[in-house]
Amino acid sequence: MADTAPLGAVLAVPFALTVLATAAAGFDAVLSARAERGSGGGALREAAAPVRESVRLLGQQRRRTNAADPLLGRLGIALVPVAAVLAAAVLPWGWGAATDPAVGVVWFNAMEALAWAAVWLAGWGPNSALSLIGGYRFLAQGLAYELPHMFALTTAALGAESLGVGDVVRAQQGLWFVVWMPVAFAVYLLSAMAMAFWGPFGQPLGRDLAGGAVLEYSGADRLLLAGGRWLLFAVTAGFSVPLFLGGGNGPLLPPWLWTLLKTAAVLGLLVAGRRLVPAVRMERYMEVAWMVLVPLTLLQALAVAVVVRNR
């Protein structure tokens, strides 16, 4: 097991994750504003748009639909950020992870699965047809992309011959896994966007559903669900660093700085990638998951297994 972080660093994990998510949301806001209006606006003002929207939602009154189940709905809303923070517990931030269990990779994937239930409950709670359809869309999308996502995680663990995240990082001291597992890395990033229902995979919150799973939420409820979504996006992006990019391994700079730089690079790539990956109908990209990504990740895992077997 890797060294765990001191207590102060453990308590700082939710804060660090929030800063990363806010920075990614600000960068996305800048790109969106530039795409709509050109380069005329101030970058700082554009980047602050998510913060202004958060303040606006905090002052907005909550609304409630007829025959709603507020307990289930708010439980689902609260579980999205909770699942993201619990998943971040096994992320090594250079100084060590909050915890490094022997099955850290499995723990991370289990917390992502918890987010499935959370979004579905959030869609179910208001007792609204469009909101419920949004929740079911996320279940269908999650099922399609969970298998290639899980196989990508398993491939990295197979290369390290361990399910411990610290062991995966140590196995990359000589050669990062992205070099000889490029398919698993690419599939992981694509499925990470799908698991965070972000970018072209935002169908659970689609405009054709007037907002889908978040349709009936306002005020603090909507803010918590949106914030949890960004936290989930940040932690799934950050987990690619210990899995495939060597964690804190690198020359000259301290491990924590390497981890931060790599995480920022992956987040920037995914934020920009929203504009590079085409938005197609939901059934089309689910076909890609089942018919293309699953066989590709299985072949990648087989290739890694052959290499590990013949070491």
Side-chain angles (χ1 to χ4, degrees), residues 1 99-107 162-165 167:
M1 294 177 67
T99 180
D100 187 23
V103 290
V105 174
V106 177
W107 170 267
S162 173
L163 289 169
V165 181
D167 294 334

Side-chain angles (χ1 to χ4, degrees), residues 13 17 79-91 99 107-108 111 114 235:
V13 166
L17 194 59
L79 279 177
V80 177
V82 167
V85 172
L86 289 177
V90 296
L91 267 177
T99 180
W107 170 267
F108 176 81
M111 293 305 101
L114 180 62
V235 75

Side-chain angles (χ1 to χ4, degrees), residues 80-308:
V80 177
V82 167
V85 172
L86 289 177
V90 296
L91 267 177
W93 296 90
W95 59 74
T99 180
D100 187 23
V103 290
V105 174
V106 177
W107 170 267
F108 176 81
N109 197 220
M111 293 305 101
E112 289 183 311
L114 180 62
W116 287 13
V119 178
W120 184 79
L121 285 175
W124 176 278
N127 193 29
S128 166
L130 295 180
S131 178
L132 181 59
I133 291 172
Y136 273 117
R137 276 187 179 181
F138 183 62
L139 283 184
Q141 179 172 289
L143 286 171
Y145 279 85
E146 170 60 17
L147 273 180
H149 187 76
M150 181 182 64
F151 288 144
L153 292 170
T154 304
T155 301
L158 181 62
E161 301 182 64
S162 173
L163 289 169
V165 181
D167 294 334
V168 175
V169 173
R170 281 190 290 273
Q172 299 176 71
Q173 290 179 352
L175 183 67
W176 294 357
F177 282 172
V178 66
V179 176
W180 60 296
M181 303 179 191
V183 173
F185 178 64
V187 170
Y188 175 86
L189 292 184
L190 192 65
S191 59
M193 295 175 68
M195 296 300 289
F197 51 107
W198 195 83
F201 303 98
Q203 299 285 358
L205 312 181
R207 292 183 179 179
D208 58 325
L209 297 178
V214 300
L215 168 63
E216 304 296 348
Y217 294 107
S218 61
D221 292 336
R222 195 180 189 102
L223 175 61
L224 194 59
L225 187 57
R229 180 193 187 195
W230 276 103
L231 290 176
L232 191 62
F233 179 64
V235 75
T236 51
F239 203 65
S240 67
V241 175
L243 279 183
F244 299 102
L245 300 178
N249 293 318
L252 302 178
L253 302 177
W256 68 267
L257 187 52
W258 271 119
T259 301
L260 180 62
L261 290 175
K262 292 174 186 178
T263 302
V266 173
L267 275 173
L269 175 65
L270 291 182
V271 169
R274 186 179 82 162
R275 293 152 183 86
L276 300 176
V277 180
V280 296
R281 294 202 311 266
M282 186 170 178
E283 69 272 15
R284 292 291 178 85
Y285 68 68
M286 288 178 64
E287 287 177 3
V288 170
W290 288 110
M291 306 302 294
V292 178
L293 298 187
V294 169
L296 281 178
T297 49
L298 284 174
L299 288 174
Q300 175 74 97
L302 177 61
V304 171
V306 171
V307 172
V308 171

Side-chain angles (χ1 to χ4, degrees), residues 4-16 93 95-98:
T4 55
L7 179 60
V10 172
L11 297 177
V13 166
F15 175 76
W93 296 90
W95 59 74

